[in-house]
Amino acid sequence: ALAVYGLVESFISAFRRTFANQKVDIDWDVTPPSLRTAPMHRAEFESVLFNFLTNSIKAMSHDGNSKRKIHIRATKSGEDIVLLFEDTGQGIDSSIRDKIFDPFVTSNFTSESQKLGVGTGIGLKIVADIASANNGSVRIATPSDGFTTCFRFAIPAQKRRKGT
């Protein structure tokens, strides 16, 4: 089982320089802080965060985007841990919305975003595979006010032991 608070905190810390260089305000919350996943590999959870992050930064790199914000929130919903990853990027084009988790589907971001590399369209497919392999799910969700895109990644929470 993985401690979600520690994973998100460590992820944010590892990419603090990237956030500063890209002029991205990052906000995050894990409630309750004791959230733990069902058994899964740490690298899988980190890969989900990383793929969401790189897509967000690329989507926020288009011209005229002055509010560059990311919000990561993890909560418990029923038997699942729900991770919401929101940004203020250009959003998801309606032409690819229904197939965004298919392999090799990518948006045409501006050349400014090329600093992070050209997207291959495999990142969100990896996220979907990780969700599936861990009896979870991933989908596009309705973003909070002030955000344009929200991904909802859900995986089972650690089962409580009898007597606790």
Side-chain angles (χ1 to χ4, degrees), residues 15-24 68 112 115:
F15 287 94
R16 203 162 295 289
R17 180 176 287 147
T18 300
F19 297 130
N21 290 344
Q22 296 289 326
K23 297 177 176 60
V24 172
R68 297 161 65 97
E112 172 66 19
K115 291 177 186 172

Side-chain angles (χ1 to χ4, degrees), residues 2 7 21 27 52 56 65 67 77 84-85 92 94-95 99 106 126-127 131 136:
L2 303 175
L7 281 170
N21 290 344
D27 181 34
F52 286 157
S56 289
N65 188 351
K67 286 191 340 184
S77 178
L84 299 174
F85 199 107
I92 300 168
S94 60
S95 68
K99 52 189 175 204
T106 185
I126 290 169
V127 170

Side-chain angles (χ1 to χ4, degrees), residues 12-162:
I12 300 294
S13 180
F15 287 94
R16 203 162 295 289
R17 180 176 287 147
T18 300
F19 297 130
N21 290 344
Q22 296 289 326
K23 297 177 176 60
V24 172
D25 291 327
I26 182 83
D27 181 34
W28 64 281
D29 177 51
V30 176
T31 305
S34 59
L35 280 179
R36 295 182 74 79
T37 69
M40 71 181 293
H41 295 285
R42 176 185 179 107
E44 290 177 311
F45 197 92
E46 291 170 336
S47 181
V48 168
L49 290 171
F50 180 76
N51 280 299
F52 286 157
L53 173 66
T54 56
N55 283 348
S56 289
I57 289 177
K58 288 175 187 178
M60 290 186 293
S61 294
H62 71 282
D63 296 333
N65 188 351
S66 58
K67 286 191 340 184
R68 297 161 65 97
K69 292 171 40 176
I70 292 174
H71 184 191
I72 302 170
R73 182 171 62 239
T75 59
K76 188 155 187 230
S77 178
E79 299 298 312
D80 288 337
I81 291 172
V82 174
L83 176 77
L84 299 174
F85 199 107
E86 301 180 292
D87 68 50
T88 57
Q90 63 190 34
I92 300 168
D93 190 278
S94 60
S95 68
I96 63 168
R97 195 172 183 92
D98 293 340
K99 52 189 175 204
I100 193 86
F101 297 104
D102 293 348
F104 311 114
V105 173
T106 185
S107 292
N108 293 319
F109 294 117
T110 64
S111 59
E112 172 66 19
S113 67
Q114 303 292 323
K115 291 177 186 172
L116 290 173
V118 177
T120 60
I122 202 73
L124 291 176
K125 169 64 172 144
I126 290 169
V127 170
D129 288 349
I130 290 169
S132 178
N134 288 284
N135 300 313
S137 64
V138 64
R139 64 179 171 84
I140 300 168
T142 303
S144 305
D145 286 346
F147 292 90
T148 53
T149 304
C150 179
F151 285 100
R152 181 186 189 275
F153 178 81
I155 49 172
Q158 181 181 44
K159 297 234 186 284
R160 297 177 72 187
R161 287 182 248 146
K162 291 183 180 178

